[in-house]
Amino acid sequence: MSLSDKTNKLGLNAVFGDEPEPLPLFRAWYAEAEQAEPYDHTAFALATADALGRPSVRMMLLKGADEGGFAFYTNLNSRKAAELKANPHASICFHWKNLRRQIRIGGPVTPVSDAEADAYFASRDHGSRVGAWASLQSSPMVFPAELRERLAKLQTQYPEGSEVPRPPHWSGWRLEPIEVEFWFHGDDRLHERLLYQKSGDGWERSILHP
Ligand SMILES: Cc1cc2nc3c(=O)[nH]c(=O)nc-3n(C[C@H](O)[C@H](O)[C@H](O)COP(=O)(O)O)c2cc1C
């Protein structure tokens, strides 16, 4: 009998487990995805909306998941940053094709602390740190060679091996989950879905129709 044939106490597939809160299950699936996905299990879609509720979505990389939430980093002048400032709520979605699993997480977002952003920025390779200064993310390029020229100047200013400070326009956000939904592929499109919703200090679990 394979794991996907077994069920847990709720009668759900055993891959859902019986945890009363979502983080342990997220961590377990994330660790399995690291093994199963050939390229970047940390990638997720981040959906934001502007002040009028008009949505936009893009892929991002997860840079931390703990009791405080799910952290990601970007340019603070980007479209997503403008939307998160106007409407500090987001929804993120992981899809791990080889595992045939999806996790959707929603909730309010708050900026990470400067100390946290500094620490993560310092962990990036030199080229990415210089690149963060060079890119005016989401702004139109005035002329095609603009980025190359900016980059060349910055590479002279910050040669390989030198300290590169975190740009003031580069930091991160943390999404505090208030709902987390785990989805597992089922035969004949009878997929299985487990929803955790924040309720007071704890979580409510419910099963959703496919
Ligand atoms: C797999 C993948 C991961 C990405 N990760 C990030 C990321 O962590 N941070 C980021 O700013 N952009 C990342 N990007 C680029 C974004 O998808 C997007 O193009 C960029 O952030 C500008 O988005 P915006 O104009 O909506 O702000 C990634 C793209 C892909 C395809």
Side-chain angles (χ1 to χ4, degrees), residues 33-180:
E34 184 170 11
Q35 301 304 317
E37 297 297 330
Y39 184 71
D40 227 334
H41 70 295
T42 72
F44 63 92
L46 165 71
T48 56
D50 67 13
L52 297 177
R54 293 174 297 201
S56 68
V57 65
R58 78 288 291 153
M59 297 303 293
M60 297 288 281
L61 299 178
L62 186 70
K63 297 298 175 187
D66 58 23
E67 285 68 17
F70 296 81
F72 51 88
Y73 289 87
T74 192
N75 185 308
L76 300 182
N77 297 323
S78 64
R79 175 174 176 179
K80 74 184 87 52
E83 292 185 1
L84 288 173
K85 279 177 213 156
N87 179 4
H89 295 267
S91 179
I92 69 179
C93 187
F94 294 85
H95 176 217
W96 296 304
K97 293 186 178 71
N98 287 332
L99 293 174
R100 299 194 292 177
R101 294 180 193 175
Q102 166 181 265
I103 301 180
R104 177 168 56 180
I105 304 167
V109 296
T110 46
V112 303
S113 68
D114 283 345
E116 206 176 339
D118 287 342
Y120 171 62
F121 190 75
S123 78
R124 286 162 57 103
D125 62 52
H126 187 267
S128 305
R129 280 180 275 156
V130 176
W133 279 99
S135 167
L136 309 176
Q137 192 179 65
S138 309
S139 303
M141 281 218 202
V142 178
F143 58 99
E146 186 184 340
L147 179 61
R148 261 201 321 278
E149 288 182 13
R150 284 177 61 82
L151 195 58
K153 279 192 196 133
L154 285 157
Q155 282 163 342
T156 308
Q157 189 178 348
Y158 299 116
E160 193 66 47
S162 65
E163 280 292 305
V164 184
R166 176 171 63 88
H169 60 259
W170 192 96
S171 190
W173 270 273
R174 177 170 283 103
L175 186 157
E176 180 202 332
I178 56 169
E179 56 174 19
V180 183

